[in-house]
Amino acid sequence: MPSAASDVQVDTLEVRVTRWRLAPGTATGHHIHEMDYVIVPVTAGEMTIVAPGGERSKAQLGIGQSYFRKAGVEHDVLNESASEIVFLEVELKP
């Protein structure tokens, strides 16, 4: 699956903010979150989450409906929908 586009908007001693753009048919690639983080959806949509063992689940995004996760989350995020998905990832540095 082709890679999603990302660009780091802020990177300080305290925080890193990355904008992710997942066009239809793209993915972030398998990764482990090394920091606590907040996701801030810019668009509404449905992401497919693939866990390390291959288990798949769907995550609904609502514009501006943020959520928090602790460090250690491991997954791949896919856009299997027909619309682009955009969100900000705010990583909280220790």
Side-chain angles (χ1 to χ4, degrees), residues 41-84:
V42 176
T43 61
E46 181 179 81
M47 301 185 304
T48 302
I49 310 298
V50 182
E55 303 86 12
R56 298 165 66 89
S57 61
K58 300 290 185 177
Q60 299 297 321
L61 297 179
I63 297 171
Q65 295 180 348
S66 304
Y67 62 88
F68 170 81
R69 297 286 184 268
K70 296 292 286 177
V73 172
E74 183 176 357
H75 58 204
D76 191 1
V77 179
L78 292 65
N79 181 358
E80 297 179 320
S81 76
S83 301
E84 181 181 54

Side-chain angles (χ1 to χ4, degrees), residues 7-19 34-40 67-69 88-94:
D7 62 284
V8 176
Q9 297 181 333
V10 176
D11 195 357
T12 68
L13 292 173
E14 301 84 13
V15 66
R16 179 171 49 216
V17 179
T18 305
R19 179 177 59 185
E34 297 181 5
M35 295 177 261
D36 293 349
Y37 66 100
V38 175
I39 297 296
V40 182
Y67 62 88
F68 170 81
R69 297 286 184 268
L88 300 176
E89 175 185 65
V90 181
E91 296 173 288
L92 309 172
K93 295 184 180 181

